[in-house]
Every structure is written in structure tokens, then in C-alpha cells.
Amino acid sequence: MALFSVKMRSSKNGLHISGAERIVPEERVNQVVLSLLDRARKHSRGRPDFISLKVEELKEEPVYLKALPVYEVKGGAPTETLLEKLFSLSEVPVSLGLSFYRQLLKGISPSGGVMRGATIVEVPSGRRLEPDSERGVRVSYIDITDEAAEELKRTAGNKYTENFKEALTLSTKVLNHPDVLAELCISDDPDYTTGYLSIKNLGYFRLFNLKPSGLPLGGRVFFVRKGVDLKELISYFETKPVIVSSVSNYSSVSLEEMEDFR
Ligand code: WAQ
Ligand code: MG
């Protein structure tokens, strides 16, 4: 059965309000178009005056992936201490990781704001590789099956959010590329203070209070190996269809317990 990509984005007075995408079989396209339309109209950031819906048949078979294992990082230590520990478990030098964390909180685009996409950072040089640093690189053609989403809801319990589901889906695609070493993400939503650091071969570490409440800044950093084929990498992010079809474990970990990952 043919699969279709359905994408929605909305804006008001030219300013972005929301966006979402699904990958579904042909028979569910009508239903999904309506639900995305509904979602666009009811968004908390305002009533849009422009909604774009795009329906497109997939030209390529999707890759089906198991979601990254999720670890809630227990608090009790300063955020930078937790990040330092996590970066020390990755191939990203701690000082480089922390420096990009601070840049995200200051506004990482050349004009000092948020980027629409992510920055790609070469390890260990710290060189930024994305062709357009104002916009960044957007990951697209991603979805999670209803069954996997239900299972994620069950395992995450009261820590489940839609933002979390979508971020885990995106990060599972990103970390699946062999040259991606880690991804750091901070929401640009002023009230969404939970972010994450995903680390190759370890998983998705959820960090609460990664940014101060009220801050309208954030972004994503993809840390990649030196020598990566950049064109191939960007093409994978932008065009390869990926569906998360099962989940891994959901657990929590303290600063001390992180030593066990070494
Ligand atoms: N591809 C690449 N970068 C993106 C994309 C995309 N599709 N969408 C957003 N970004 C970048 C962009 O710079 C945004 O400013 C930034 O990421 C944050 O996007 O476990 O809500 O949609 O609960 O605000 C994390 C969930 C939620 C943590 C992240 O991101 C958890 C979130 P937002
Ligand atoms: Mg946002």
C-alpha cells in the first residue's frame, strides 16, 4: 500500500505558529489532513490566518526504527554539572558541548535569535557546517506509529508530552546516522524548559530545567564526526522517510549512576 507524507504549517501575519507532519497509508490521508487542520486552528500560540497542507506520495520506502532508550536525568545537581557528566560519556569534548549549550541560550543564529532548523557542528573542531546558519538544517519525513506512541505514553506516565514524543522521533532519526555523535536540544517555547541530550550508543537523556522559564530561545545542535559527507548527511535529514515503530526502555538515572554507562 502506498504511503503518503502529510505536512501542515500555519502562520499569522507571516509569523510561524505551528507545524506538524505524518506518514500514513493512503486510506488514512483524509482523516489525517482533517486532524492536522484541526490542530493548526486550535494552537495555543494563536489563530492562524494561513494554513498550508501538503500531501505527497512517498517515493522511497521508509526505514522502521526502534526509538532510542530514554533516561530521565534526576536533578539535585546544577544543570551544567549534569551536562558535563553526560558530554564526558560521549565523543563530544565537554568544553565544546558546554560552549554550544551556552550559545543556544544566548541565541545561536548569526542575528542572535533562534534558527528554524539545527546547526551541524564538527567534532572536535567546533566548526559549523550547515550551509545557511540563519535557517539551519530541518529534519523531515518522520513519524511514529500509533502503537509505539501508545506504548511510549504508558511507559512515560505523567512525564509524557506530545513535544517529547515528537522530539524522540526526530532524535531517533538523527542519531541513526552513523556520523552523528550526539544531539543537544532546547525548546524555543518560553514555557517548555525540558530538553535533552542524545548520545550515540547510549540514548536520549531528558533534562528538566535545561533553560530558565520564560526564555524564548533554544535550538538544536547535531554534533558530527570529522570527515562526514555533508551532502549525504543533509539529504538523509531532509528526505529519508523514517518511522519509529517500537520503543525501548524508559527509566531514570542519577549523576552517580551515569558512571555505569562508561
Ligand atoms: N529539524 C531541525 N531542527 C528543528 C526542527 C526540525 N524539524 N524543528 C525544530 N528545530 C530546532 C529549531 O532551531 C527550534 O528552535 C528548536 O529546534 C526547538 O524546536 O523530552 O519543543 O519545536 O520533553 O521548540 C524537547 C522535548 C522539545 C524534551 C523540543 O523543540 C522532552 C521542542 P521546538
Ligand atoms: Mg517550539
Side-chain angles (χ1 to χ4, degrees):
M1 157 105 49
L3 288 174
F4 282 75
S5 155
V6 184
K7 292 184 181 174
M8 176 279 288
R9 70 190 160 84
S10 74
S11 61
K12 187 186 176 73
N13 299 325
L15 287 178
H16 174 80
I17 292 186
S18 70
E21 65 169 297
R22 301 293 312 270
I23 298 173
V24 294
E26 188 161 19
E27 62 196 20
R28 285 191 60 199
V29 167
N30 290 28
Q31 174 207 341
V32 162
V33 165
L34 283 179
S35 84
L36 288 178
L37 182 62
D38 218 44
R39 173 165 164 173
R41 287 179 150 155
K42 289 184 185 144
H43 203 271
S44 59
R45 287 179 13 136
R47 190 174 167 279
D49 59 16
F50 173 87
I51 299 171
S52 151
L53 280 155
K54 183 160 91 180
V55 178
E56 178 195 2
E57 186 174 343
L58 289 192
K59 295 286 175 279
E60 213 180 328
E61 273 295 301
V63 179
Y64 291 88
L65 297 178
K66 183 175 184 151
L68 299 169
V70 180
Y71 300 95
E72 254 182 52
V73 177
K74 292 180 195 158
T79 303
E80 289 210 359
T81 307
L82 296 170
L83 277 175
E84 246 172 63
K85 184 64 162 194
L86 285 169
F87 276 117
S88 79
L89 302 172
S90 79
E91 289 179 55
V92 180
V94 172
S95 59
L96 182 67
L98 285 183
S99 133
F100 274 93
Y101 168 63
R102 292 178 191 137
Q103 284 183 61
L104 286 178
L105 294 180
K106 280 194 298 208
I108 189 150
S109 80
S111 56
V114 293
M115 297 163 70
R116 281 197 56 232
T119 179
I120 300 177
V121 171
E122 181 187 73
V123 172
S125 73
R127 204 154 58 93
R128 286 172 66 166
L129 304 179
E130 72 279 5
D132 175 350
S133 287
E134 206 50 56
R135 176 185 184 272
V137 169
R138 301 266 309 169
V139 178
S140 190
Y141 297 98
I142 46 176
D143 202 355
I144 179 168
T145 62
D146 291 347
E147 295 72 30
E150 279 311 309
E151 182 65 8
L152 189 65
K153 241 179 227 175
R154 203 183 57 71
T155 55
N158 63 5
K159 301 291 179 51
Y160 177 87
T161 67
E162 292 287 307
N163 273 354
F164 163 56
K165 175 187 77 179
E166 288 170 7
L168 180 63
T169 302
L170 185 150
S171 198
T172 297
K173 174 174 178 178
V174 170
L175 271 286
N176 182 57
H177 191 284
D179 290 318
V180 174
L181 302 171
E183 177 196 357
L184 176 64
C185 170
I186 304 176
S187 175
D188 55 27
D189 178 337
D191 300 321
Y192 202 90
T193 56
T194 305
Y196 64 88
L197 177 65
S198 291
I199 302 175
K200 180 156 242 63
N201 298 327
L202 291 184
Y204 176 108
F205 293 86
R206 289 185 93 181
L207 291 140
F208 301 111
N209 309 308
L210 190 55
K211 72 170 192 178
S213 180
L215 186 74
L217 296 172
R220 281 185 158 92
V221 183
F222 301 155
F223 295 96
V224 302
R225 262 186 241 284
K226 185 178 156 74
V228 61
D229 178 344
L230 189 63
K231 267 184 84 172
E232 185 277 331
L233 180 76
I234 293 176
S235 157
Y236 170 78
F237 288 152
E238 291 181 340
T239 67
K240 184 76 194 169
V242 168
I243 297 179
V244 171
S245 52
S246 62
V247 298
S248 312
N249 61 303
Y250 188 101
S251 48
S252 56
V253 63
S254 67
L255 186 63
E256 294 73 33
E257 287 160 347
M258 286 177 199
E259 267 311 306
D260 302 338
F261 286 109
R262 245 180 246 288

